[in-house]
Amino acid sequence: MLNKDTVIWIYHKGRLSLSLSKRYPIPIFAIIGLLFGVITHYGFNNAELGHLIWFIVLVIGGLPIIFETIKGLVNGRFVSDIVATLAIITAIVTNEAFPGVIIVIMQSGGKALEDYAFRKATNSLDELMARSPKIAHKKINDQNIEDIDVENIIIGDHLIIRPGDLVPVDGIIISGNAEIDESSITGEPLSKIRQSGEEVFSGTINIGNVFEIKAIRVSEESQYSKIVKLVKNAREEKPPIQRIADKYALLFTPITLAMCGLGWILTQNPQTILAVLVVATPCPLIFATPVAIISGINKASKQSIIVKSGAAIENIERAQVVVFDKTGTITYGVPIVEDVILSNNFGINNKGKKIGFTADDILFKSASLEQMSSHPSAQAITNAGRKKFHNLPLPVNFCEESGLGVKGFINGEHVMVGSPSFIQSQSNMTHTSNLPNLNDDLLKTISYWQNNGKMVILVNIDGTNLGLIMLSDKIREGVVTMIQSLKKSGIKKTIMLTGDSLINAKSIANQVVVDEFKYDLLPEDKVNEVKKLNEKYKSVIMVGDGINDAPALTTATVGIAMGAKGTAISAEAADVVLLVDDITRVSDIIRISKRTIHIVKQSILVGMGLSFLLMVFASFGLIPPSVGALLQEALDIGVILNALRAR
């Protein structure tokens, strides 16, 4: 029998177990305790000591489960742990230690699996903060520049933005022209040329020459800080998922309590109530979901898809809408050479004679010259040239005007590659005299391709405008097929969100056949669009790759990041990361999720049916608690084996 001192010791140990359980896994403790009790009871033939060991394990291991269940109920969550908790309490009250320990092992073991399957730890906010601008170069006067903390910038300060600097706050250019990498804000891969008087945003990068801005917003109100706040708010506002197990518990728990009442009426024996609770302990609810989801997560990982939480699997299965970012997601996100045009209308030298150059000649000379530049468009032209030609000669007397164009000599010929305005500006600065003006046919051709979303590069050789190189952001392979597959899998709507212009957005949307598209969106605009969809549909998937996508990825029910070439911040903000640069894996993870949840539901329904059958026998007093615990263990094994089919 238990004496007073033992009971007091158990009580204090039980209180300590709340904190100890955070460091020492209860399932391991309970299993070891069960084995020690078995050895003592049967090996050393000391039933009283064996029972005492089991009782101590029951109390120490059971109290955290009881408190967690009560906490969930107080917070308004009707959880699947209620029956197991009642079984543990009844086992303590009736001094039935052995079946009680079995329940502790099942419940805590299932919880451990669930914590593993549903764990989600992201550092997206920390990543964003680490990248945010911290130092600014403030212009004191014409002779002095002072480095200050970004937080100390006030509206009206004049700031110097050096090559490679992050723009510290939103501002207006007041001196010089700027070439800006705005991908962190808009997601667009091609840099932008900003003139004096135009606005630049914090968090963007100066990839051109030094320029000066006048601060128009303080740090906490600038664009990059808005992105940080959006991610933080989205994370805090995201509602918790109602687990599948908890949904079924709403039905199963009242049935169990009713069977307990029936058992008491029939037998008037508290052991019957415990037996009913033991066989009714919802092991299918406890084990089916985490085991199947872990299996689904493992299956996804074999296809280079990292799923951070079990909640993501459940939400993907329920998804009705998939939202895509454009650049870097639907498209590759890097400029590529789409075409080289040699037009008879402008392939004429200043003497009116037709020039005998081919498109390959233009690409060869342009790629040779551009290999000395680090500009994204220059790298695209160089890459195209290297794929086509074995060797590219190095230029002589190479010169670059940042963001505008390059010039130099290739095999004795003077070559200029850049914007039309750059070529025209060189008319009085080259070894040739009087470069021909940009005639109407050339201007019409340039305007036509620019209006169709292309970046147009003009090539001039020895004073003659010979050709145009078209750069664009190519649509990924398999996107159209994937969109069709999503429709077949039950997705009701596909939407594209982009910071790009109407012309470019419409062109891409029509090619990939999405249902809707939105354009000219800043990060907060994308968040607002996703919020509207969250209100209308059960579950919304957002697929993106850039810093600008991070808030929307966090806001969506499930965020999927293109992790192979996307930013670390978007990967941290997302629930799912694609480790390969293949957007078609989105349809794969949807398929895996649907199969996984189908198996979960199957296991739950079959398991609950068998549990109910055992409850009927137990309510008539035909199954003692210890036997019921062993029968429930057998049911556990069946549920686990079935759930493993999700692999």
Side-chain angles (χ1 to χ4, degrees):
M1 298 295 292
L2 302 178
N3 58 37
K4 180 180 178 182
D5 292 336
T6 302
V7 172
I8 293 173
W9 179 83
I10 291 173
Y11 170 74
H12 286 292
K13 278 295 187 181
R15 294 183 63 186
L16 285 173
S17 70
L18 283 173
S19 59
L20 290 173
S21 64
K22 296 179 181 179
R23 291 180 294 170
Y24 303 101
I26 292 177
I28 295 176
F29 166 74
I31 290 171
I32 293 173
L34 177 68
L35 293 176
F36 268 110
V38 169
I39 293 170
T40 304
H41 189 290
Y42 298 102
F44 295 100
N45 199 28
N46 190 334
E48 185 175 342
L49 181 58
H51 180 80
L52 176 60
I53 291 173
W54 288 333
F55 194 84
I56 292 171
V57 172
L58 170 62
V59 174
I60 295 177
L63 280 179
I65 296 172
I66 294 170
F67 283 119
E68 282 299 314
T69 303
I70 294 173
K71 181 180 177 182
L73 290 172
V74 170
N75 291 330
R77 297 198 317 270
F78 190 89
V79 293
S80 58
D81 307 338
I82 294 176
V83 173
T85 298
L86 290 174
I88 291 170
I89 293 172
T90 305
I92 293 173
V93 172
T94 59
N95 199 25
E96 286 285 347
F98 177 77
V101 172
I102 297 293
I103 299 301
V104 168
I105 292 172
M106 289 189 295
Q107 179 65 22
S108 60
K111 188 65 176 175
L113 284 171
E114 186 178 45
D115 289 342
Y116 173 77
F118 284 76
R119 185 173 62 242
K120 179 180 179 181
T122 64
N123 299 313
S124 54
L125 192 59
D126 294 336
E127 290 279 352
L128 282 168
M129 292 303 295
R131 187 195 175 278
S132 62
K134 294 180 174 57
I135 298 295
H137 313 299
K138 180 179 178 180
K139 185 177 180 181
I140 306 302
N141 50 48
D142 290 338
Q143 285 78 37
N144 296 305
I145 297 175
E146 178 185 356
D147 286 351
I148 63 172
D149 290 337
V150 169
E151 289 77 10
N152 295 331
I153 296 174
I154 61 175
I155 295 175
D157 278 351
H158 286 204
L159 307 171
I160 303 297
I161 314 298
R162 298 169 179 170
D165 279 355
L166 287 171
V167 177
V169 294
D170 297 350
I172 297 292
I173 300 173
I174 58 175
S175 176
N177 295 326
E179 182 179 9
I180 303 294
D181 175 359
E182 297 183 347
S183 60
S184 62
I185 304 299
T186 66
E188 298 312 304
L190 298 177
S191 59
K192 304 292 185 183
I193 304 299
R194 300 298 181 194
Q195 309 293 332
S196 182
E198 291 189 86
E199 185 174 351
V200 291
F201 296 115
S202 65
T204 57
I205 304 172
N206 176 18
I207 62 173
N209 296 322
V210 64
F211 63 93
E212 185 178 340
I213 68 170
K214 176 182 174 182
I216 59 173
R217 297 181 188 92
V218 296
S219 175
E220 63 180 14
E221 295 175 358
S222 291
Q223 193 60 235
Y224 196 83
S225 292
K226 288 182 181 179
I227 295 178
V228 175
K229 291 176 184 176
L230 286 169
V231 173
K232 182 179 179 181
N233 292 339
R235 183 193 294 176
E236 292 173 349
E237 294 171 3
K238 201 167 186 175
I241 179 177
Q242 184 183 17
R243 301 176 304 169
I244 290 177
D246 292 343
K247 293 178 183 178
Y248 283 96
L250 287 170
L251 172 66
F252 192 70
T253 301
I255 292 174
T256 301
L257 296 177
M259 296 301 294
C260 287
L262 176 63
W264 175 256
I265 292 172
L266 293 175
T267 67
Q268 299 292 308
N269 187 349
Q271 297 288 326
T272 301
I273 296 176
L274 176 60
V276 171
L277 290 172
V278 167
V279 298
T281 298
C283 297
L285 301 182
I286 295 169
F287 285 109
T289 300
V291 171
I293 283 180
I294 291 170
S295 298
I297 290 173
N298 288 338
K299 184 171 184 177
S301 68
K302 293 176 183 177
Q303 299 186 33
S304 299
I305 303 170
I306 301 301
V307 182
K308 296 182 181 179
S309 68
I313 293 284
E314 293 195 35
N315 280 324
I316 290 171
E317 188 271 339
R318 299 186 302 119
Q320 296 178 305
V321 179
V322 181
V323 181
F324 296 95
D325 168 55
K326 179 180 78 69
T327 308
T329 305
I330 287 179
T331 66
Y332 283 102
V334 292
I336 62 169
V337 174
E338 183 175 306
D339 199 6
V340 179
I341 296 177
L342 179 63
S343 172
N344 291 333
N345 292 326
F346 57 88
I348 307 293
N349 66 10
N350 4 7
K351 296 181 180 179
K353 209 170 175 184
K354 188 171 180 180
I355 305 299
F357 282 103
T358 66
D360 281 354
D361 293 330
I362 292 174
L363 178 60
F364 176 80
K365 296 179 187 301
S366 301
S368 299
L369 183 64
E370 292 277 31
Q371 63 185 318
M372 300 296 289
S373 172
S374 61
H375 193 279
S377 62
Q379 293 176 358
I381 293 171
T382 300
N383 290 336
R386 285 174 177 164
K387 288 180 181 178
K388 197 156 195 175
F389 310 107
H390 292 298
N391 295 302
L392 297 176
L394 292 175
V396 177
N397 294 335
F398 175 83
C399 181
E400 178 173 11
E401 287 197 23
S402 182
L404 298 175
V406 295
K407 59 184 179 180
F409 288 87
I410 301 294
N411 294 336
E413 295 174 308
H414 188 262
V415 181
M416 293 189 293
V417 182
S419 65
S421 59
F422 167 74
I423 302 296
Q424 187 62 35
S425 70
Q426 303 299 305
S427 59
N428 297 317
M429 301 169 57
T430 67
H431 74 296
T432 60
S433 60
N434 299 320
L435 285 174
N437 291 324
L438 306 181
N439 59 43
D440 290 341
D441 288 328
L442 174 56
L443 291 173
K444 286 179 182 178
T445 303
I446 292 171
S447 178
Y448 171 80
W449 288 112
Q450 287 177 335
N451 289 336
N452 281 275
K454 313 300 180 187
M455 181 178 184
V456 182
I457 306 295
L458 180 58
V459 181
N460 181 287
I461 301 176
D462 282 341
T464 302
N465 296 323
L466 289 176
L468 298 175
I469 299 177
M470 306 298 148
L471 298 179
S472 65
D473 189 6
K474 187 179 179 182
I475 294 173
R476 291 178 181 273
E477 299 291 336
V479 170
V480 176
T481 303
M482 179 199 63
I483 297 293
Q484 295 170 348
S485 174
L486 294 179
K487 293 288 186 181
K488 292 177 182 178
S489 67
I491 298 299
K492 293 182 178 180
K493 183 173 288 188
T494 54
I495 302 171
M496 185 184 79
L497 304 180
T498 179
D500 208 350
S501 65
L502 170 61
I503 293 172
N504 292 350
K506 186 176 182 180
S507 173
I508 298 296
N510 289 340
Q511 292 179 66
V512 300
V513 201
V514 292
D515 296 317
E516 293 180 15
F517 71 93
K518 305 283 185 178
Y519 60 95
D520 281 338
L521 301 179
L522 290 172
E524 58 262 40
D525 299 323
K526 290 184 178 181
V527 168
N528 291 333
E529 293 294 334
V530 171
K531 281 183 176 179
K532 292 176 186 176
L533 294 169
N534 283 339
E535 294 172 359
K536 188 174 181 181
Y537 297 96
K538 289 192 298 184
S539 180
V540 176
I541 296 173
M542 169 73 191
V543 188
D545 74 308
I547 292 173
N548 62 308
D549 298 322
L553 289 171
T554 310
T555 302
T557 317
V558 180
I560 300 179
M562 303 290 293
K565 294 183 179 178
T567 64
I569 294 170
S570 63
E572 288 291 344
D575 305 288
V576 178
V577 181
L578 309 183
L579 294 182
V580 290
D581 202 30
D582 181 4
I583 193 176
T584 62
R585 299 299 170 93
V586 172
S587 57
D588 291 338
I589 188 57
I590 290 176
R591 175 179 51 78
I592 291 170
S593 298
K594 287 186 177 296
R595 172 173 166 75
T596 299
I597 300 306
H598 170 74
I599 291 173
V600 167
K601 292 178 179 178
Q602 182 187 70
S603 296
I604 287 175
L605 290 174
V606 172
M608 286 173 57
L610 292 174
S611 290
F612 178 76
L613 185 62
L614 292 174
M615 276 194 288
V616 172
F617 285 100
S619 64
F620 283 90
L622 300 177
I623 301 176
S626 57
V627 174
L630 295 176
L631 290 173
Q632 193 58 261
E633 282 296 300
L635 182 58
D636 289 349
I637 294 172
V639 167
I640 291 171
L641 290 175
N642 185 63
L644 287 173
R645 293 192 301 115
R647 283 183 177 273

